[in-house]
Amino acid sequence: MRVVCCILLLLASQSALAEGFISRLLNHPVPGGVAVVPLGNAEQAPAARYQDKPVQVVREEDRRWIAIVGIPLNSQPGAHTLMVNDGRPLSFTVGSKHYREQHIKLKNGRQVNPLAEDMVRINRELAEQTRAYQTFSPTQPSNLLFDKPVQGPLSSPFGLRRFFNGEERNPHSGLDFAVGSGTPIKAPAAGKVILIGNYFFNGNTVFVDHGQGLISMFCHMSKIDVTLGQSLPRGGIVGRVGATGRATGPHMHWNVSLNDARVDPAIFIGAFKP
């Protein structure tokens, strides 16, 4: 019996080692999470697509290729399929996750039920931001264990079902930090500024492309400190915390998008809670 137990422990240990650091950090396959799918040990990097969108592929610890797949928040639990460019369909399983509710009171009723002229602006801005989220550049991300953009306590988590003045709206697609107005916001990884705007809901906003469909979005800022097309080092200043757009007070709102799916930023800073 002791020999059998030792063998099982050895196999479990070998499996964990084979999995690698990136897999252990990022593999949380739930709606709004990330799935890490092994692609084999070919010499050249394979390409893969999920829901007909390209996904990030990296080499883990100089051994195997892995696909890092963003799972949309509205995904159904169960079997999902990743298509590799050699024709292989690879299946992975999405589990379930419960997201709690958040009720917010806003004084400005137009930010809950916008006027017709507001909707013209909102739809134009949504199209701009959607194009930015769909960016897929060939650059490998400088790091996948992200730095926190600000040092401060987490406030509103990702995925909250949000009710504004009693009316349900889109779930919370990012992670909020409770920090004061004017606090510098730092890039969690190197990247390129691909969109800057002042938007109806998001206020002062910056999109940073980290490479291969991995995008950070920062909004509600009091000040923007970058220019369109600027390359940012890891830790470079993006802007300053504020309360512009639909916000009840100063805070840092950070979205992470992967293959055009908004995913929980907590995954990338080692703070994910199942």
Side-chain angles (χ1 to χ4, degrees):
M1 177 64 73
R2 183 176 297 175
V3 173
V4 172
C5 290
C6 288
I7 291 172
L8 291 174
L9 286 171
L10 178 61
L11 290 173
S13 174
Q14 289 175 339
S15 176
L17 288 172
E19 192 177 47
F21 171 76
I22 296 174
S23 294
R24 294 194 299 273
L25 173 71
L26 299 183
N27 190 39
H28 298 287
V30 296
V34 173
V36 175
V37 183
L39 299 178
N41 301 311
E43 288 188 13
Q44 299 297 319
R49 300 181 74 86
Y50 172 62
Q51 298 182 346
D52 204 31
K53 295 178 181 178
V55 302
Q56 183 178 129
V57 173
V58 300
R59 196 161 208 166
E60 185 168 41
E61 298 177 0
D62 295 323
R63 295 197 304 269
R64 62 176 184 172
W65 296 102
I66 55 174
I68 302 174
V69 184
I71 304 168
L73 189 56
N74 62 359
S75 296
Q76 294 298 311
H80 289 239
T81 301
L82 180 76
M83 294 301 301
V84 187
N85 61 337
D86 61 10
R88 283 181 295 156
L90 296 178
S91 179
F92 63 94
T93 301
V94 174
S96 59
K97 181 172 169 59
H98 172 74
Y99 293 99
R100 61 184 178 85
E101 296 180 2
Q102 180 185 46
H103 291 260
I104 300 170
K105 292 289 186 181
L106 292 173
K107 293 180 181 179
N108 185 351
R110 287 174 62 178
Q111 290 184 330
V112 180
N113 295 297
L115 302 178
E117 57 263 36
D118 297 329
M119 290 306 303
V120 173
R121 175 186 173 187
I122 290 166
N123 289 331
R124 181 182 69 249
E125 293 173 352
L126 177 62
E128 282 184 9
Q129 294 175 84
T130 298
R131 288 193 294 270
Y133 279 129
Q134 292 173 343
T135 299
F136 193 90
S137 58
T139 307
Q140 288 275 352
S142 65
N143 50 290
L144 289 168
L145 174 57
F146 280 176
D147 300 328
K148 291 181 180 179
V150 294
Q151 293 302 318
L154 304 181
S155 49
S156 296
F158 173 87
L160 288 171
R161 290 182 57 206
R162 295 186 304 174
F163 294 79
F164 291 98
N165 297 354
E167 298 185 37
E168 187 167 12
R169 293 295 183 263
N170 290 333
H172 192 227
S173 60
L175 187 64
D176 289 351
F177 291 77
V179 290
S181 183
T183 302
I185 300 169
K186 299 180 180 181
K192 180 180 178 181
V193 178
I194 57 171
L195 183 63
I196 294 174
N198 181 276
Y199 297 127
F200 185 87
F201 289 127
N202 290 348
N204 291 326
T205 301
V206 173
F207 281 69
V208 177
D209 173 19
H210 302 296
Q212 287 204 14
L214 184 58
I215 311 288
S216 279
M217 186 274 278
F218 310 93
C219 65
H220 305 311
M221 294 190 290
S222 60
K223 182 184 177 186
I224 292 172
D225 289 321
V226 293
T227 57
L228 191 63
Q230 180 178 339
S231 292
L232 278 171
R234 180 179 182 177
I237 303 298
V238 178
R240 312 285 165 160
V241 170
T244 56
R246 185 166 68 183
T248 56
H251 66 282
M252 203 290 294
H253 176 99
W254 175 36
N255 272 21
V256 171
S257 185
L258 191 57
N259 50 269
D260 193 26
R262 260 50 82 207
V263 297
D264 189 348
I267 292 170
F268 291 84
I269 57 173
F272 177 77
K273 295 182 179 180

